[in-house]
Amino acid sequence: MIVLKVVSRSHQDYLTFVSNQLRKEYGTPEALLFLQHFYNDLIFWITAIDLSATASLMRSAYSSNPKGRKPHDPADMLRCLLLMTKLGLSVDDGVVALRTTPVYAILCGFKPGETPGVGTFYDFFPRLWRASTPHKTGRVKRRLKKPRKKGKKNEKQEPKNPKITEKLVSRILREGKIHYAPKEHDLLQQLFQSLFVLPSAAKGLLGDTSAFRVIGDGSPVETGARSYGKFLCDCRKSGNWKCSCKRQFSDPDADWGWDSYREKYYYGRTLYMFTAADSPYNLPVYPRLFRASQHDSVSWICGYRELRHWYSDWKVGEALLDSAHDALPIYTMLEHDDVSAIIDLNHRRSGHTVYNEMKIGSDGVPVCPIGRKMVCWGKCSGRQRIKWRCPAKVGKWECPTPCSPSDYGRTFYTSTADNPRLFPRIRRDSKEWRKRYALRTGVERCIKRQKVDYRLEASRGRSSRHWNIRVYLIAMCQHADAWLEEAKKQKQIASVEQWLKELTAA
């Protein structure tokens, strides 16, 4: 029988190793005080992460040949990368830190002086990426021209195909079941989901997963590669510097996108983040990298189906999105899945709409013939239908041109099933709507943690593999940060000396 060479150990064995090595290296009272003062939070941060299942999840990424040298425990390698991400170190600087700082090596699961080298980490990266190359497309292609037409401040550019959302949703609803095609980042998502997201859900840090409220939003991520590429032709010798010949690109998957906040075009990708709305720490559940030119509405449709595939045991109850997602097909898809849509209206598409011979304002409230808003008179029980009454009869004032001879006044009904965009389950003009939509900023804080606190773009990566690994490592650190903060709130953090005594007693 062939036995895979990958080795692993339980989390308790890892804690025992850390305890023994810390006592060996820092056994004196002065050394323990040093650890307590400088590394207390880091020790409790990294030892709380149970990575014992890493080897079983990555078993297919290792060779089945029994000959040769045994690889390092994948859990220890992943723990090293998490530590480097937490400290803001590159691989080269991280390897130096592991070799010169014994506490770092011990916390990662290695004895001081026996830590892996730079090449070992670069050999580990392809194991996390289920593709033969770090890129999704070929490196030789024609150069993409930078768009000339600029967008507007805080407004995303419209999709190149105006009916793309309608076509995608129609195909999804026609297929019925979720058909998921394997992706290059699947192993990263499996590690992230099994080792971080599900434990956070068990701790109650993601809200109620039986009525999960999700937020989605995209943000630009600039690549470290240049958009010009490397010339492979001899056109420059004849003075033609703007030829259309194919070139070689170090990051062929990057393209041009519009950054509406900075009002400029950027070359790179779009980081689309799915975040738990009820999480007090704005924790991500599914980070996804798309093309920079792809509109957020298209990214939501694609990513939402993938999210439901990965978390098939969860029931999505509510989706909170900004005005870039204000498209009727998205409302239709969410209603089909019995999901309440909390989506801000795109004011460029807003205005008065005629519905059953009655004008409807941009806030979804019917407007009577004299231009006064009708008054909401409750929700029909058992149905997503709202009743509206004549403002004159409710306000007890005389209407100059009454539209109904009834003493009760004219009544009007709006149904979510008829137009979920104009008449969502929760009225746009209600306090409940404003309260729930205010939670949407959680995804912006989640992305801020990625791009500002953990300096996502500082690595200047040049491949899809690099950016996916980088995004997922930061997302893992976000969950670990939340666990540490939660332990501090519950006063579960003790001194290093006391923690070592507890481990020894156990």
Side-chain angles (χ1 to χ4, degrees), residues 321-324 326 331 342-347 428 433 437:
L321 308 169
D322 62 11
S323 59
D326 181 30
Y331 292 90
I342 308 294
I343 306 176
D344 191 24
L345 282 176
N346 188 339
H347 295 292
R428 295 184 185 275
W433 172 279
Y437 188 74

Side-chain angles (χ1 to χ4, degrees), residues 415-480:
S415 174
T416 302
D418 293 341
N419 193 323
R421 178 178 178 265
L422 287 178
F423 316 123
R425 299 185 180 187
I426 302 175
R427 295 187 358 253
R428 295 184 185 275
D429 63 329
S430 63
K431 292 182 179 179
E432 185 180 4
W433 172 279
R434 292 190 290 270
K435 180 180 178 181
R436 296 196 181 192
Y437 188 74
L439 297 175
R440 197 204 64 81
T441 56
V443 69
E444 297 177 356
R445 289 188 289 272
C446 178
I447 295 175
K448 174 260 181 187
R449 291 275 291 151
Q450 286 255 344
K451 298 181 65 175
V452 179
D453 297 356
Y454 278 96
R455 302 177 68 232
L456 170 64
E457 295 173 302
S459 61
R460 307 296 294 165
R462 300 187 180 187
S463 69
S464 294
R465 183 178 69 190
H466 170 92
W467 286 114
N468 276 273
I469 292 176
R470 178 82 173 146
V471 166
Y472 271 100
L473 286 175
I474 295 176
M476 294 175 185
C477 290
Q478 288 179 258
H479 281 262

Side-chain angles (χ1 to χ4, degrees), residues 55-224:
S56 60
L57 293 172
M58 295 187 62
R59 193 169 295 274
S60 61
Y62 286 84
S63 172
S64 59
N65 187 356
K67 297 181 180 180
R69 178 181 172 184
K70 289 184 178 180
H72 293 291
D73 187 350
D76 295 339
M77 297 296 297
L78 180 58
R79 199 175 284 112
C80 287
L81 294 177
L82 291 174
L83 180 67
M84 294 177 189
T85 305
K86 176 66 175 176
L87 299 176
L89 301 176
S90 64
V91 174
D92 293 356
D93 295 338
V95 168
V96 174
L98 290 175
R99 290 179 176 176
T100 55
T101 311
V103 64
Y104 291 161
I106 295 171
L107 292 178
C108 291
F110 296 97
K111 293 181 179 179
E114 298 181 9
T115 55
V118 175
T120 307
F121 286 100
Y122 281 99
D123 289 339
F124 183 69
F125 291 146
R127 301 184 191 276
L128 299 171
W129 184 250
R130 289 185 171 173
S132 57
T133 64
H135 311 289
K136 296 181 180 180
T137 58
R139 294 184 61 186
V140 178
K141 62 179 183 179
R142 288 184 174 85
R143 180 193 172 193
L144 294 174
K145 292 184 179 180
K146 182 178 179 180
R148 295 182 179 180
K149 184 179 178 182
K150 290 189 176 183
K152 296 182 180 179
K153 179 71 173 177
N154 295 328
E155 289 185 3
K156 301 290 182 68
Q157 281 194 323
E158 293 294 328
K160 294 181 180 179
N161 185 350
K163 295 186 178 181
I164 183 64
T165 56
E166 182 179 348
K167 292 179 181 178
L168 288 174
V169 171
S170 298
R171 185 174 67 182
I172 289 172
L173 298 182
R174 186 170 58 251
E175 292 176 351
K177 294 183 179 180
I178 300 175
H179 298 284
Y180 181 80
K183 306 287 191 303
E184 295 85 353
H185 66 273
D186 282 354
L187 180 55
L188 288 167
Q189 174 60 26
Q190 289 174 2
L191 292 170
F192 177 56
Q193 177 180 345
S194 301
L195 304 178
F196 293 89
V197 177
L198 296 183
S200 290
K203 296 174 186 291
L205 301 181
L206 301 180
D208 185 8
T209 56
S210 62
F212 184 65
R213 296 202 287 181
V214 63
I215 324 172
D217 198 10
S219 181
V221 176
E222 292 190 43
T223 181

Side-chain angles (χ1 to χ4, degrees), residues 281-296:
Y281 302 100
N282 310 305
L283 294 179
V285 294
Y286 186 47
R288 189 71 163 87
L289 287 167
F290 291 106
R291 294 179 62 85
S293 57
Q294 183 165 293
H295 195 264
D296 277 358

